[in-house]
Amino acid sequence: MGRTKKNKPRHKLRGLHDTSQRQSAKARAAQIAWTPLKQACGCVIDWGWSSQTADPMTFSNWCVSRPIVPCPWHTTPVAGVPGPDLPDEITVQPHGTSVLLHARKAAADRHELGGELTFRLAHLMETVSRGQTAVLDDAPAGFRSWLIANTADPVQAWLEHELCEIILNQGRSALPRELLEHLPEQLRTASLENSQPQSVACSICSFSAASGGILCTCGHDWSCHPTNAERDEPCSHCPCSDMQDA
């Protein structure tokens, strides 16, 4: 007569469940890309997004206005909970959207980066206030020529590029400014419409493709990845949840 398999003790099953829950929480946390910004109250806040609950455009638009308003801990949320009573990490749903963003008090070693990103963002917004000519004049000469030759709206393309660099890439440059300043003539004038990836959110991706860069299967360049290029981490431009070499 065959032997029957004994059921595991209830306490062991509970332990396995708890371990699984902790691992799932760690996996979700690893997929959040964080960007520190200094807000009007002087606090540096890490704002985060995940491709599972948000999109990069909404996140960028949200972050643009953060430096001119107090942080959640120094204002009264809509729910009526006083700022000081909020936990150190919260989830926020921007008004009129269905996305969820994350916020936490930035660690001390993130304050300097937060100040730098906020300064760059303020410079970009001040340039925008001076008009389209000022925006294009702010772009590196070689890349400006490329944008004019290869995009329908070079001003908007440069703004998207800068917001990607400042907010989505946390200040990291996809390509050195020196290279963008002195693009080879053939790259400045050649039409790259055929190599433009679908749902492109920054012109660096198609430029990188044309110059031999490594693209993800979603069509975006590895340089635009929000963190290190590891498995199960989202693209900074689209819902692709796992950047993979094309």
Side-chain angles (χ1 to χ4, degrees):
M1 193 171 174
R3 291 180 298 175
T4 59
K5 186 177 181 180
K6 293 183 179 180
N7 292 329
K8 289 186 177 181
R10 187 178 299 276
H11 72 277
K12 288 188 176 181
L13 291 175
R14 187 183 301 114
L16 290 173
H17 173 74
D18 292 343
T19 300
S20 176
Q21 289 293 95
R22 287 194 297 270
Q23 290 174 343
S24 297
K26 288 181 180 179
R28 288 193 297 271
Q31 293 178 350
I32 299 175
W34 297 95
T35 298
L37 291 171
K38 187 174 183 178
Q39 303 207 203
C41 54
C43 296
V44 177
I45 302 301
D46 262 332
W47 288 98
W49 74 283
S50 165
S51 62
Q52 277 69 47
T53 58
D55 64 271
M57 186 66 69
T58 302
F59 179 67
S60 294
N61 290 339
W62 174 263
C63 286
V64 163
S65 61
R66 293 310 90 197
I68 61 175
V69 297
C71 76
W73 289 268
H74 285 100
T75 189
T76 301
V78 176
V81 179
D85 293 340
L86 291 174
D88 288 344
E89 184 171 329
I90 61 174
T91 301
V92 175
Q93 182 175 3
H95 181 70
T97 74
S98 59
V99 307
L100 295 177
L101 304 178
H102 305 270
R104 67 186 182 188
K105 297 178 180 179
D109 60 0
R110 302 270 288 173
H111 287 191
E112 182 177 357
L113 175 60
E116 292 174 1
L117 297 183
T118 305
F119 177 83
R120 289 182 58 181
L121 191 57
H123 170 76
L124 181 63
M125 293 299 100
E126 189 277 329
T127 304
V128 169
S129 71
R130 291 189 279 116
Q132 294 191 353
T133 300
V135 173
L136 273 184
D137 286 345
D138 200 45
F143 192 43
R144 179 169 62 243
S145 299
W146 184 89
L147 291 172
I148 293 172
N150 294 281
T151 64
D153 189 343
V155 173
Q156 184 62 30
W158 174 246
L159 284 177
E160 290 178 358
H161 166 262
E162 285 295 270
L163 288 176
C164 175
E165 298 263 288
I166 297 170
I167 296 174
L168 300 180
N169 287 354
Q170 300 125 61
R172 293 190 294 271
S173 296
L175 292 172
R177 190 177 179 93
E178 293 76 14
L179 176 59
L180 297 179
E181 190 75 45
H182 305 288
L183 286 183
E185 184 63 28
Q186 61 269 29
L187 286 179
R188 292 193 210 178
T189 56
S191 176
L192 301 179
E193 292 180 0
N194 293 334
S195 62
Q196 187 88 339
Q198 293 182 348
S199 303
V200 68
C202 87
S203 299
I204 283 291
C205 295
S206 53
F207 170 71
S208 180
S211 55
I214 301 175
L215 291 182
C216 170
T217 52
C218 64
H220 295 120
D221 186 77
W222 282 107
S223 302
C224 298
H225 195 260
T227 55
N228 294 327
E230 298 174 356
R231 293 190 59 81
D232 300 325
E233 293 191 25
C235 175
S236 59
H237 296 326
C238 71
C240 173
S241 60
D242 183 5
M243 293 286 281
Q244 297 181 27
D245 187 356

